[in-house]
Amino acid sequence: MNQSVRPAGAVSDAGTPAVSDVETPGTLNGIPRQPTPRPPRTGECPQPDTAGHASGTPARRPRLWRILPTPTGTPFTFGYAVILAATSLLTQYADPDLVDSLLHGSSTDVAHLTKSPLLVLVASALWIAGGITSPYAIVFLLVLTALERRIGGLRAAGVFLLGHVVATLATEVPVGFSVLAGHLPDSSLHRLDYGISFGVAASVGALAGLLTPWLRWTVLVCFGGMLVDDLIAFADPITNWGHLLALAIGVLTWPLLRRRPAAAERAASPTGPARRPAVAPRRAP
């Protein structure tokens, strides 16, 4: 069908300007007018374009640096790692007599726990048994970073501290009773015990509960198998039992860590926090 174009300013048979000429001069009468795109409403997600990402927003790609701690993203893990790096350098380059004195003063043995428990529980967690190249140092960086990014620094510190304190007391208190009963010599009261391994083991158990099922059981089987292998070797059975206990403590925190705080739930809600309905003011009589 042929379409005609009326020139601008043309008049109809009645002598009045044509409506189509006034609104859209120079357009084809048979083509309908295209609707204007509606802007997205508040809380509505923009539709993805043909490039595969939201219009006007570049696609987000995974960043490898997220597996390592940062001052702003994971302040607890980053600050703790700096302290551990400093103490590890101290043990490597300082005078051996000074290092030996510091380690024995930080030991969570029965003798120190009966005199100053809070001091040695904190001081013992400032050293890495085996130095900065220890496997537990690497696991500390990866696991604590991932855990803090998922549950926050405060709760990650709570998991680490819970595993460190409970596993330490659960392994040292039986030593004290065994010495009193005569099953162990008095030298067991001064057993050198320090490091971050109990806290790391608890953090591994806690992080496993936040992973997908296949990855969760892979982590637990691999890490738990390593701890059982150390226990079978019977090199340090008290510490090895403490590692397994700390791992179990981390697993027991799953119900608590899977609960999202109320503030996080309100922030994640698409409608935002619930608002109280406005009350209409009363009219004066």
Side-chain angles (χ1 to χ4, degrees):
M1 179 176 65
N2 296 331
Q3 303 293 337
S4 61
V5 180
R6 294 186 180 184
V11 296
S12 62
D13 296 337
T16 59
V19 175
S20 60
D21 296 337
V22 174
E23 294 180 354
T24 53
T27 58
L28 296 177
N29 296 333
I31 300 179
R33 184 177 301 174
Q34 299 298 321
T36 305
R38 178 180 59 85
R41 298 176 181 176
T42 304
E44 182 179 358
C45 299
Q47 298 296 329
D49 57 11
T50 55
H53 52 75
S55 302
T57 304
R60 300 183 63 179
R61 299 178 181 178
R63 299 179 177 90
L64 295 179
W65 57 264
R66 288 181 62 85
I67 65 175
L68 297 177
T70 58
T72 56
T74 54
F76 165 70
T77 306
F78 183 85
Y80 200 176
V82 171
I83 295 175
L84 293 175
T87 56
S88 298
L89 294 176
L90 179 65
T91 57
Q92 185 175 359
Y93 295 105
D95 181 69
D97 294 335
L98 174 62
V99 173
D100 186 71
S101 176
L102 291 174
L103 293 179
H104 279 84
S106 304
S107 176
T108 51
D109 51 41
V110 178
H112 283 119
L113 287 174
T114 55
K115 296 179 180 179
S116 53
L118 295 179
L119 177 61
V120 294
L121 283 172
V122 174
S124 62
L126 302 180
W127 310 89
I128 303 177
I132 200 171
T133 58
S134 170
Y136 278 99
I138 301 175
V139 176
F140 168 85
L141 286 178
L142 300 179
V143 171
L144 263 294
T145 300
L147 185 63
E148 185 174 359
R149 290 190 185 278
R150 284 166 172 80
I151 65 175
L154 185 61
R155 294 205 289 174
V159 170
F160 185 93
L161 186 62
L162 181 66
H164 175 70
V165 172
V166 175
T168 298
L169 296 178
T171 52
E172 292 296 337
V173 171
V175 172
F177 284 113
S178 298
V179 172
L180 291 177
H183 298 298
L184 291 176
D186 293 343
S187 59
S188 300
L189 299 176
H190 304 277
R191 190 179 69 92
L192 186 61
D193 185 20
Y194 66 92
I196 60 172
S197 57
F198 289 166
V200 171
S203 300
V204 172
L207 178 62
L210 305 176
L211 304 176
T212 56
W214 69 269
L215 187 57
R216 174 188 312 153
W217 298 114
T218 300
V219 170
L220 288 178
V221 169
C222 293
F223 190 78
M226 181 188 68
L227 299 182
V228 172
D229 185 67
D230 292 340
L231 182 62
I232 295 175
F234 213 72
D236 189 358
I238 296 179
T239 302
N240 295 333
W241 276 115
H243 290 155
L244 288 172
L245 177 61
L247 181 64
I249 292 172
V251 172
L252 292 177
T253 61
W254 288 1
L256 298 176
L257 299 182
R258 287 173 178 175
R259 295 178 184 175
R260 301 185 63 184
E265 292 182 358
R266 289 194 299 267
S269 175
T271 57
R275 296 182 179 179
R276 299 178 61 182
V279 179
R282 297 182 179 180
R283 294 183 179 180

